[in-house]
Amino acid sequence: MYGFIYQKWWKILTLLMLLYVFIAGFLVPLRPGILEVSESRVVGGDSLQVFVTTYNTQWQEGDLIQAFIKYDSVHIWSVPGVTLQRRNKLLLQGRLLGWRSNSRDQYVDATLILHHPRDGFMVMPSAFTITAGSGELEAPIWVEQLPQRAAWSWKFPFRSILYETIRNTFFHVAIWMAMFVLLVVSLVYSIKYLLNPRLEYDAITSSFAHVAIVWGTMGMITGSLWARATWGTFWTNDPKLNMSAVAMMIYVAYAILRASINDDDRRAQLSSAYNIFAFMAMIPLVIIIPRLTSSLHPGNGGNPALGGEDLDHTLRLIFYPAVIGYTLLGVWMASLLYRLRRIEIRNLIASLQD
Amino acid sequence: MRPINQLNQILFLTIMSLIVPTAGVLAQGDHYANTGKIYTVIACVSVILIVIAIFLFYLERRIKKLELSASLDEIGNY
């Protein structure tokens, strides 16, 4: 069974997968999207003159570009004057569709939708805040009249706030997933050790736990950098962040516990038992508690991740190999630690016999 | 010596896999100037590389210790 760790094919597979992840993770472009509008507060019924800056668009003169302003599910206004300024800049002109004020709402958050035959739809939610003006609501355009969706292409989704950092799905999320797999292996071998006390099992447990700590540290640092780019701060008092910090501390305590005991059997016994508790503590801390409260972090408190629109097909095509790649790289690193540990144990026994 | 060669392989491939696509992306120019957020991704990838490098140095230190103790045992062979 342990012959697996001496084989080469899966190590080459690991490297190829990670190579694919790094190359595709950087080279696949973002889908075209709307970066900003020059004026977001507009009055219904007034004449509209707004510049729209787009992202990753290579538009040329003569392209059929359509612009729509969506008030609600029924009222969608097709902007009559769409002029291309540059390959990533549009000018929208026209007399804005009126909007009737009622007693409850003084303004409406309207969505800007652009359509290009090659690039498909670009949507910017809450692009305009339209205050009630003199105009009346005109004849609505029904959703069925919008142009057809563009075909699937090899591109990452364009998300406001995230922008290019959506690529961190492969360099942050995947690392945490791999860490969970490594910790499960560690848990299984610590249970095996307690059932059948062989130092070999303990060596496997500790190797996997140590590599998992390395992976967790990597996940924390990359997450912190990502938070700086999206939330504006390296760390906030968010349940997901604080609880994962606590879980990491529990595993660091595992490493310290091991380092502080000299007797091999005693260390193996204590740390195996501790490892089971550490895993049982980590699951509610990292996975359950943040889901019960509200959290900024995707995947928690009514803020889903890895489901629906968050992980689209193109991301999946790179995300799953990334998870497998980091897991196998972790297994490789753990197997090296295990082999080293085994030689150390053998030397120790040999020196005791002398 | 075999494990060390394989680790060098990882390091080499990781570095290559970082340099090649990054160069391609930065050559595209103005897209990244708009948001600048690609540098966050580059920082995260650098963190991964640095942590793997730290692991390699740690492993090397432990192997060196073993090598030293082995050479002391078999001092006649050297």
Side-chain angles (χ1 to χ4, degrees):
Chain A
M1 181 200 168
Y2 296 128
F4 177 71
I5 65 173
Y6 296 100
Q7 285 168 5
K8 221 176 232 173
W9 63 270
W10 62 275
K11 293 166 189 169
I12 293 164
L13 186 74
T14 306
L15 291 178
L16 288 177
M17 273 187 177
L18 289 180
L19 194 67
Y20 161 72
V21 168
F22 280 110
I23 290 176
F26 270 106
L27 284 190
V28 174
L30 291 193
R31 213 170 280 150
I34 305 167
L35 212 54
E36 58 177 15
V37 290
S38 64
E39 206 178 328
S40 60
R41 304 187 71 84
V42 286
V43 181
D46 280 11
S47 69
L48 179 79
Q49 181 154 7
V50 174
F51 291 97
V52 180
T53 313
T54 55
Y55 192 76
N56 274 1
T57 49
Q58 301 292 334
W59 293 339
Q60 289 162 348
E61 208 63 50
D63 284 0
L64 179 71
I65 302 162
Q66 290 164 280
F68 305 92
I69 293 177
K70 187 178 172 188
Y71 289 63
D72 51 42
S73 57
V74 178
H75 296 99
I76 300 171
W77 180 56
S78 174
V79 181
V82 181
T83 327
L84 188 68
Q85 302 267 309
R86 263 186 282 133
R87 63 184 166 80
N88 60 351
K89 199 157 195 177
L90 284 180
L91 173 62
L92 304 185
Q93 283 170 308
R95 206 179 70 81
L96 190 65
L97 178 63
W99 175 74
R100 211 185 296 110
S101 168
N102 60 38
S103 56
R104 275 182 305 174
D105 304 314
Q106 294 305 309
Y107 60 88
V108 64
D109 271 337
T111 304
L112 175 64
I113 303 171
L114 296 180
H115 182 268
H116 182 272
R118 188 182 59 237
D119 296 336
F121 282 110
M122 278 143 270
V123 179
M124 187 188 201
S126 305
F128 298 110
T129 306
I130 303 176
T131 39
S134 53
E136 289 290 300
L137 274 174
E138 288 157 30
I141 295 171
W142 295 92
V143 181
E144 283 82 358
Q145 283 174 272
L146 286 173
Q148 289 295 304
R149 280 172 171 276
W152 178 83
S153 61
W154 189 253
K155 279 174 182 164
F156 293 145
F158 178 90
R159 292 277 155 78
S160 60
I161 302 174
L162 285 181
Y163 304 120
E164 296 287 350
T165 64
I166 200 158
R167 298 165 199 277
N168 264 357
T169 312
F170 323 123
F171 308 119
H172 167 73
V173 187
I175 283 179
W176 280 104
M177 297 284 155
M179 185 201 74
F180 282 117
V181 178
L182 297 178
L183 286 178
V184 168
V185 176
S186 175
L187 174 78
V188 167
Y189 275 90
S190 60
I191 292 171
K192 270 181 111 164
Y193 176 83
L194 290 178
L195 295 176
N196 178 15
R198 290 172 58 186
L199 278 182
E200 206 168 286
Y201 292 153
D202 176 61
I204 296 172
T205 303
S206 72
S207 307
F208 274 90
H210 280 97
V211 174
I213 291 171
V214 172
W215 257 212
T217 312
M218 226 139 87
M220 299 274 265
I221 300 171
T222 52
S224 188
L225 290 169
W226 201 0
R228 178 80 185 117
T230 52
W231 304 337
T233 170
F234 286 111
W235 196 272
T236 62
N237 261 332
D238 187 84
K240 184 81 165 185
L241 276 63
N242 287 339
M243 295 302 159
S244 56
V246 171
M248 284 307 297
M249 289 301 165
I250 290 174
Y251 272 99
V252 170
Y254 168 85
I256 295 171
L257 175 76
R258 285 189 68 86
S260 62
I261 303 172
N262 278 327
D263 181 59
D264 275 342
D265 292 308
R266 199 169 159 67
R267 171 173 55 209
Q269 209 169 20
L270 276 177
S271 65
S272 294
Y274 181 87
N275 192 29
I276 295 171
F277 282 105
F279 190 86
M280 295 306 166
M282 184 201 63
I283 295 301
L285 281 174
V286 178
I287 299 177
I288 299 172
I289 292 176
R291 262 161 228 267
L292 297 178
T293 57
S294 65
S295 171
L296 270 176
H297 193 285
N300 305 286
N303 189 0
L306 300 179
E309 293 192 341
D310 263 324
L311 198 62
D312 86 339
H313 295 306
T314 316
L315 287 175
R316 272 171 217 275
L317 283 174
I318 300 165
F319 178 72
Y320 292 138
V323 174
I324 298 168
Y326 289 124
T327 305
L328 286 178
L329 185 63
V331 172
W332 187 357
M333 284 159 77
S335 76
L336 292 176
L337 283 181
Y338 160 72
R339 281 158 72 174
L340 204 57
R341 177 84 193 124
R342 220 170 43 164
I343 297 172
E344 282 169 355
I345 292 172
R346 193 190 295 153
N347 283 4
L348 193 74
I349 292 168
S351 70
L352 287 175
Q353 282 169 345
D354 282 347
Chain B
M1 279 294 129
R2 208 169 196 171
I4 298 174
N5 285 338
Q6 285 178 348
L7 284 168
N8 280 338
Q9 244 178 342
I10 313 180
L11 195 62
F12 176 73
L13 283 175
T14 318
I15 290 170
M16 287 313 286
S17 63
L18 293 179
I19 290 170
V20 173
T22 311
V25 152
L26 292 180
Q28 290 175 16
D30 70 45
H31 296 338
Y32 297 104
N34 279 335
T35 60
K37 294 208 168 186
I38 192 68
Y39 296 108
T40 303
V41 185
I42 291 172
C44 290
V45 171
S46 313
V47 166
I48 295 172
L49 182 66
I50 289 165
V51 171
I52 290 173
I54 291 171
F55 174 84
L56 288 175
F57 282 117
Y58 165 75
L59 205 64
E60 192 180 343
R61 209 182 60 191
R62 273 177 73 173
I63 288 171
K64 199 173 265 171
K65 241 184 236 169
L66 275 180
E67 284 171 340
L68 282 176
S69 65
S71 66
L72 284 176
D73 290 345
E74 303 153 21
I75 200 135
N77 297 336
Y78 287 91

